[in-house]
Amino acid sequence: MAAVAIATRTMKAAQIPGPGRPFELVEREVPEPGQGEVRIKVQACGICHSDVLTQGGHYPGIVYPRVPGHEVVGTIDALGDTVSGWRVGQRVGVGWHGGRDGTCISCRRGDFRNCLNLRIPGISYDGGYQEYVVVPDDALAAVPDSLHAAEAAPLLCAGLTTFNALRHSGALPGALVAVQGIGGLGHLAIQYARKFGYNVAAIGRGSENAELAGKLGANTYIDSTATSPAEVLLRMGGAQTILATAPNSKAMSSLMDGLAPNGKLIVLGAAFDAIEVTPIQLISGSRAIQGWLTGTPADAEDTLHFSELTGIRPMIETYPLDQAGEAYARMLSGDAQFRVVLTM
Ligand SMILES: [Zn+2]
Ligand SMILES: [Zn+2]
């Protein structure tokens, strides 16, 4: 009977046993937080397309088995040594920014978002597809009580990325801002763009997306299968910002001519093939292309507060942790409306 008394506490986790392998549901010991770390009792974890990096083994240096997940929401369950400013029971979230080294040149310049040794949940260490996760305390964002865990989770990556890219785009209220793609990122980008006070043009495929785009806040819907989005944007005076959320380099290339003078194409959709643009397209009108990588935990808190203030929420489909494999397949199918979230 003594063995029962000292039995370690276990939990369920959905792990990838090796690169390219399917998910397996396993029992693991509940991890203990070390110095500077906290343990979170996970309530929800969003499934992001970037989790393909872990499942497919596309990110260098991943140690397997690995639990993916970088859209984590839960409550702090235990504090490691030297952690201050956070308390047990507090609602928190963790996104792509899973800890910084604090010593690289970006960190020394205060540009933590671009830490050269950024740690990423689900890649550098086990992420949120499990009942408990241990993370460094500098990865934590406080989550407002009013936000439902499953709705807050996608805001920590998809929401944060679009919110942060838009608010740093330089476009002023009233400017024409186009959102290319009405999916996991795009459906949030349209909402943020509208609440920021832009004249929002949503670019999607097919007439059937027009109604949804309007509901999300788009002032104009452009069907890319029926017309040239760049020509339409140009007729409207040109877009100050085009936020390219769908990972389609060809579609992004075709948008360049829709930019206003000094306009900027901001790239969020992560594709591996090249965007094609001529120097003339960039030089005439001083147009620019910029990529954007998510944000810090402080940026995540800004995203959550703005979403709370303005009623912006992701559209989600939830699955229990036991069905992580099915949920992941659903995300991959591209048919989900729009973010898939695991609940514990
Ligand atoms: Zn993500
Ligand atoms: Zn750094």
Side-chain angles (χ1 to χ4, degrees), residues 47-51 70-71 96 156-158 161 294 339:
I47 296 183
C48 181
H49 194 268
S50 303
D51 295 340
H70 60 266
E71 292 183 348
W96 182 261
L156 293 163
C157 184
T161 300
T294 68
R339 296 297 279 193

Side-chain angles (χ1 to χ4, degrees), residues 100-104 107 115-117:
R100 54 186 174 265
D101 63 359
T103 56
C104 77
C107 286
C115 174
L116 300 178
N117 299 299

Side-chain angles (χ1 to χ4, degrees), residues 163-248:
F163 174 86
N164 221 20
L166 273 176
R167 70 171 173 168
H168 288 105
S169 69
L172 297 175
L176 178 61
V177 167
V179 175
Q180 171 252 7
I182 305 173
L185 291 170
H187 88 289
L188 286 163
I190 293 167
Q191 296 182 67
Y192 287 125
R194 179 58 182 261
K195 294 292 184 185
F196 284 1
Y198 298 136
N199 178 10
V200 185
I203 303 168
R205 294 177 57 81
S207 56
E208 64 275 15
N209 285 318
E211 194 186 335
L212 175 63
K215 273 191 193 151
L216 293 169
N219 302 91
T220 307
Y221 177 71
I222 304 173
D223 174 4
S224 65
T225 65
T227 182
S228 156
E231 279 175 25
V232 176
L233 292 173
L234 213 53
R235 278 203 299 274
M236 296 171 75
Q240 208 55 54
T241 298
I242 301 176
L243 204 62
T245 72
N248 181 337

